[in-house]
Amino acid sequence: MANTTTPVSPVTPATPVTPATIGTAATSTTTPIAETAIGKTTINDSVVAKVAGIAAREVSGVHALGGGAARVIGSIRNAVNNTDLSQGISVEVGETQVAVDVIIVADYPVALQDVANDVRSSIIDAIENLVGLQVTEVNVTVDDVFIASADDNAPEAEARVQ
């Protein structure tokens, strides 16, 4: 009897497939951004959301980020010195692209379209320059308008009686 062997193909480990992942400020998923001969760069979705949040806050005319409930929670966080920089930001990150949704509270009186366009431009510049992803869209929702009351800036009135 002849001894025959069948050639066995070498086993290769399964390569992980990285589909587009959905991330929000509360979710921490990762997406490989760049792979080189000496290593791979991975950036968490929460980092992309923070970069977008910081960029949006820097725009003149933006009073705050997030809807009503998010701002209440944010004020509690601020009271204990724990600011959530990605509040009001939702990101959907793929391998090379990102889409951003942002909710803002605008100062009164500012042109809302101008503030929205400035927020959009600021977020696109920050993500493309700092993170290296292409921004496909930035949807801006103006949730509220902040009106500073006259009492906030007025000096305390003298007491009527002494």
Side-chain angles (χ1 to χ4, degrees), residues 8 130 144:
V8 178
L130 297 176
D144 200 0

Side-chain angles (χ1 to χ4, degrees), residues 76-162:
I76 294 170
R77 280 192 182 120
N78 287 340
V80 294
N81 291 330
N82 186 10
T83 304
D84 181 11
L85 296 176
S86 59
Q87 173 183 313
I89 304 289
S90 174
V91 297
E92 185 176 340
V93 181
E95 290 185 23
T96 60
Q97 297 178 327
V98 63
V100 180
D101 296 319
V102 58
I103 300 171
I104 67 168
V105 176
D107 287 324
Y108 181 85
V110 295
L112 299 180
Q113 288 295 332
D114 292 343
V115 172
N117 288 335
D118 291 346
V119 166
R120 190 173 289 112
S121 295
S122 180
I123 289 174
I124 290 170
D125 289 345
I127 290 177
E128 288 184 349
N129 292 328
L130 297 176
V131 181
L133 291 172
Q134 176 189 11
V135 180
T136 58
E137 67 181 15
V138 177
N139 299 312
V140 180
T141 302
V142 180
D143 185 63
D144 200 0
V145 176
F146 176 76
I147 302 171
S149 67
D151 296 334
D152 290 344
N153 296 332
E156 285 194 34
E158 288 186 37
R160 292 176 43 174
V161 293
Q162 292 190 0

Side-chain angles (χ1 to χ4, degrees), residues 4 6 9 16 24-25 28 30 33 35-36 41 47 49 63 68 74 84 88 100-101 108 115 118-119 139-140 151 162:
T4 60
T6 332
S9 61
T24 61
S28 180
T30 58
I33 301 299
E35 197 164 336
T36 65
T41 301
V47 173
H63 178 74
D84 181 11
V100 180
D101 296 319
Y108 181 85
V115 172
D118 291 346
V119 166
N139 299 312
V140 180
D151 296 334
Q162 292 190 0

